Amino acid sequence: MTMTASSAPTPSLPILFRDGWRVFFMAAGLYAVAAIAVWLLWTTGAAELPFAPGPIAWHAHEMVFGFASAALGGFFLTAVPNWTGAPAPSDRFVALVAGLWLAGRVAVWFAGALPAGVVALLDLAFVPVLGARMVAMLMIKPKPQNLMFIALLTLFWTSNLLVHLDWIGWSATEAQGMRGGLLTVSAMIAVLGGRVTPAFTRNALLRGNPAAPVPVSRKPLEIAGVALPILTALLALAGAPDPLTGAVAAAAGIAAGLRLAGWRGLSTLGDPIVWALHAGYAMLVLGLLAWGLALLGLSSEIGALHILGVGAIGGMTLAVMSRASIGHSGRPLRAPATVALAYGLIPLAALLRWAASAWPGSFHAAGTLGAGALWILAFVLYLLALWPIWTTPRPVKGNAS
């Protein structure tokens, strides 16, 4: 039988684009290593960075709007179909949004050779395309608790817009945009971490002992634990007075800590893939508290921002990306030993980077270098362990529970 050109099957793309979690969780890991390696070369004086933004601005921007946005892309392309029953995005759509994310990274890296407006257009394209697809899927089963992520994604994009408006020369909003982006991702962690951490902990504890005490959630704390981090992000983005923003951020940290206290984290210490979620959320607690105190003049703001960026965002994304990759590939939900080690390295990196800011001087350079080295090691271990999962088909038989 002869097949005509019109009836020929469409060639499939590589398996990496079959699922959003494959390409984006790989990209997040690769960029986590590459961006910090380049940053350390500059901080040690081994290289000059040719970027149009200053090195510090480039570093902050790429960790929030580069690394974290890749993790968000993989998560939403995977989770939203599960929430709504919508068909998963096609491999061509996954490849499209992955290409937009990469175009943004290349544009910022070569910003010195490109018009600032072109850099902005390329870097700002990814989130609207991702968000439009999310809206289409979420409207199949519209629920307020899920639709709120469109609002948060809009805040995230607006934060990036403020950065680019500054880089173009139209405003002086770089600091607002950077902090708004970081605090918006932190708010997403407060929302998502507040859902998955107690739920996955409950499942793990009951598997081991059907009569085990389970995590406790109290509605007033749940409301405060979501509303206050979002309000903190809004205030940061708006450039509100430091005392107001600091007080709200500290209150958000206290609410997050009270939530975490009821989730029975100590009972999960033998199960790394679960306690990593608790560790990431604990870093959110410390980061919000530290940043709030910093704005009130009581601690180092740079140190606090790194607790949020390295500890909360780095730790929680590592925990979620590894868990989703293992589970959606049909494998038992057990973290490989190297990934379990990576879970422990991230909080150490965050605390070391905080210490480098809290005690400047001779310790600053060593602490910054040590924190960066721990971060790179953690994500190298993550990449080595999960690379075969991202690049091979799902096993015929497996357990994705």
Side-chain angles (χ1 to χ4, degrees):
M1 176 179 177
T2 302
M3 184 175 290
T4 65
S6 60
S7 62
T10 303
S12 61
L13 294 175
I15 191 172
L16 194 60
F17 301 106
R18 185 175 299 174
D19 306 285
W21 54 268
R22 294 178 187 269
V23 63
F24 278 107
F25 291 167
M26 176 189 286
L30 289 170
Y31 205 61
V33 173
I36 293 300
V38 170
W39 172 246
L40 292 183
L41 288 174
W42 179 80
T43 59
T44 57
E48 291 293 328
L49 302 188
F51 312 121
I56 294 175
W58 173 86
H59 167 64
H61 182 272
E62 289 306 281
M63 296 315 295
V64 174
F65 300 107
F67 162 73
S69 69
L72 291 175
F75 176 81
F76 286 128
L77 289 176
T78 304
V80 175
N82 289 339
W83 295 343
T84 64
S90 68
D91 55 359
R92 294 186 177 277
F93 180 82
V94 173
L96 169 65
V97 289
L100 291 174
W101 175 86
L102 181 59
R105 308 288 54 77
V106 172
V108 174
W109 276 64
F110 291 96
L114 295 171
V118 172
V119 175
L121 287 173
L122 290 172
D123 189 40
L124 292 167
F126 165 65
V127 168
V129 175
L130 172 67
R133 184 55 182 260
M134 286 175 58
V135 169
M137 292 189 289
L138 287 169
M139 293 311 295
I140 294 176
K141 289 184 180 179
K143 295 182 179 179
Q145 65 267 35
N146 294 334
L147 289 171
M148 74 179 340
F149 290 111
I150 299 301
L152 288 171
L153 206 59
T154 302
L155 286 180
F156 183 70
W157 183 86
T158 303
S159 299
N160 198 12
L161 174 64
L162 290 183
V163 174
H164 281 287
L165 290 177
D166 188 304
W167 290 355
I168 292 172
W170 292 353
S171 67
T173 51
E174 180 186 84
Q176 285 172 239
M178 297 291 194
R179 286 165 175 76
L182 179 70
L183 271 297
T184 298
V185 180
S186 298
M188 292 190 194
I189 288 173
V191 177
L192 290 168
R195 291 186 190 181
V196 303
T197 304
F200 291 160
T201 300
R202 182 180 187 277
N203 293 343
L205 294 176
L206 292 180
R207 278 198 300 269
N209 176 11
V214 296
V216 176
S217 296
R218 298 175 177 84
K219 191 168 184 178
L221 284 179
E222 298 306 303
I223 295 173
V226 169
L228 289 173
I230 294 175
L231 180 57
T232 300
L234 285 168
L235 292 172
L237 184 60
D242 284 355
L244 172 62
T245 307
V248 173
I254 292 170
L258 292 173
R259 291 177 87 191
L260 181 63
W263 292 345
R264 303 194 60 81
L266 294 178
S267 300
T268 70
L269 293 179
D271 194 352
I273 207 165
V274 179
W275 68 246
L277 298 169
H278 290 263
Y281 203 88
M283 289 289 104
L284 178 70
V285 173
L286 292 177
L288 289 171
L289 275 172
W291 192 61
L293 293 175
L295 295 189
L296 297 172
L298 300 176
S299 69
S300 163
E301 184 184 11
I302 296 299
L305 292 173
H306 279 89
I307 294 176
L308 286 172
V310 177
I313 296 176
M316 188 62 82
T317 54
L318 184 65
V320 171
M321 291 190 302
S322 56
R323 182 187 182 98
S325 296
I326 293 169
H328 283 279
S329 70
R331 293 165 171 83
L333 280 174
R334 291 191 297 271
T338 51
V339 175
L341 175 59
Y343 294 154
L345 293 176
I346 292 296
L348 291 177
L351 295 176
L352 186 58
R353 185 61 185 85
W354 170 82
S357 297
W359 291 287
S362 59
F363 180 70
H364 181 270
T368 300
L369 181 61
L374 290 176
W375 171 279
I376 289 173
L377 177 58
F379 278 96
V380 167
L381 292 173
Y382 159 81
L383 288 166
L384 291 174
L386 299 183
W387 196 279
I389 290 177
W390 299 321
T391 55
T392 58
R394 177 187 175 102
V396 175
K397 293 182 180 181
N399 176 22
S401 62

